[in-house]
């Protein structure tokens, strides 16, 4: 079954794992170590059914109520569980593969240890514009400043993707700061997202270029 269809089918009651330091983008994957009992149950149930779940953030102030149900951020990323390993003590190691942005409409009454939400699927609108080529050129320039062993995956993804997904895969690779990643996840206008990611790449290029003389001196 098409993965977007699987996520759409799960939208009325989507399992969600709130993990504030981690932001997943569509078209990318993230490895997760699952050890809390409520999320071990989530993974067990997901693997037994459609393998669909969302990774989401929490609104500011969540630290005081983490063990309860602090407010979720409105935009999350839904995906499917790919590779996974069940450990003898009940923990899991999984890779969650991002499929699409979703907007959290409401939280469902508890019926399990973990949380479930009703969501709206947010697909990117078709896009044509100079922003795509500008970002690809910036990625090529960035690759020239990076170690050779890390550049092929980045160049490969940038060559294959277009539109909003191009911005997402590049952001997933080069943007590290969690709040900035969440801002990019929440940017629904494709042109604006491409420009924002281009700005992030350009900033990284400037930092790396400034470091080069020092590297040569050493």
């Amino acid at each position: 079954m098409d993965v977007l269809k699987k996520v759409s089918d799960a939208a009325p009651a989507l399992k969600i794992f709130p993990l504030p330091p981690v932001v997943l983008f569509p078209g990318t994957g993230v490895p997760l170590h699952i050890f809390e009992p409520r999320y071990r149950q989530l993974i067990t149930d997901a693997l037994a059914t459609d393998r669909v779940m969302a990774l989401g953030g929490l609104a500011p102030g969540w630290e005081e109520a983490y063990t309860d149900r602090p407010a979720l951020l409105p935009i999350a990323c839904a995906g499917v569980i790919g590779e996974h390993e069940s450990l003898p003590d009940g923990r899991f190691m999984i890779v969650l593969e991002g499929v699409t942005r979703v907007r959290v409409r409401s939280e469902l009454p508890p019926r399990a240890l973990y949380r479930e939400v009703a969501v709206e699927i947010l697909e990117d609108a078709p896009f044509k514009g100079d922003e795509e080529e500008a970002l690809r050129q910036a990625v090529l320039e960035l690759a020239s400043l990076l170690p050779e062993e890390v550049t092929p995956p980045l160049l490969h993804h940038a060559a294959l993707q277009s539109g909003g997904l191009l911005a997402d895969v590049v952001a997933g690779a080069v943007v590290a700061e969690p709040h900035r990643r969440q801002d990019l996840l929440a940017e629904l206008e494709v042109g604006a997202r491409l420009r924002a990611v281009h700005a992030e790449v350009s900033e990284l290029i400037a930092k790396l270029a400034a470091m080069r003389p020092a590297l040569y001196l050493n």
Side-chain angles (χ1 to χ4, degrees):
M1 181 187 294
D2 176 78
V3 288
L4 183 58
K5 175 67 163 55
K6 290 178 70 171
V7 174
S8 297
D9 289 346
L14 181 63
K15 302 173 182 66
I16 189 165
F17 179 14
L19 191 60
V22 180
V23 178
L24 175 65
F25 291 100
T28 72
V30 62
L32 298 171
H33 173 207
I34 310 296
F35 57 89
E36 287 189 54
R38 52 182 167 173
Y39 300 125
R40 283 159 38 186
Q41 184 185 74
L42 186 158
I43 300 304
T44 298
D45 290 352
L47 289 174
T49 53
D50 55 12
R51 305 170 77 96
V52 174
M53 60 179 284
L55 196 66
L58 295 171
W62 60 268
E63 295 88 349
E64 297 179 3
Y66 177 70
T67 57
D68 191 18
R69 292 175 177 254
L72 296 161
L73 292 177
I75 305 298
C77 183
V80 295
I81 299 171
E83 296 179 18
H84 67 280
E85 179 183 2
S86 303
L87 302 177
D89 60 1
R91 293 176 296 125
F92 290 93
M93 303 296 293
I94 70 168
V95 174
L96 184 62
E97 299 168 353
V99 173
T100 183
R101 286 168 174 77
V102 295
R103 177 180 283 113
V104 177
R105 289 300 191 186
S106 62
E107 183 163 356
L108 305 185
R111 59 177 182 176
L113 292 177
Y114 54 85
R115 304 170 72 173
E116 294 176 290
V117 290
V119 302
E120 172 192 359
I121 304 296
L122 299 172
E123 294 188 73
D124 284 335
F127 179 83
K128 286 190 178 295
D130 295 338
E131 289 89 344
E132 286 183 332
E133 187 57 29
L135 181 53
R136 288 197 183 91
Q137 290 300 317
V139 168
L140 285 172
E141 184 177 353
L142 175 62
S144 71
L145 299 170
L146 293 172
E148 289 185 5
E149 61 268 21
V150 303
T151 57
L154 178 59
L155 293 172
H156 176 73
H157 289 307
L160 286 180
Q161 306 300 347
S162 60
L165 201 55
L166 170 62
D168 289 338
V169 297
V170 175
V174 306
V175 181
E177 203 280 315
H179 290 291
R180 188 61 188 136
R181 287 172 68 93
Q182 184 63 44
D183 288 343
L184 292 168
L185 183 68
E187 178 54 75
L188 304 183
E189 203 279 300
V190 173
R193 193 189 315 154
L194 285 161
R195 291 189 294 274
V197 176
H198 182 274
E200 294 284 339
V201 174
S202 297
E203 182 177 341
L204 184 54
I205 289 170
K207 289 179 180 177
L208 291 173
M211 291 171 57
R212 275 204 157 188
L215 291 174
Y216 290 137
L217 288 173
N218 292 330

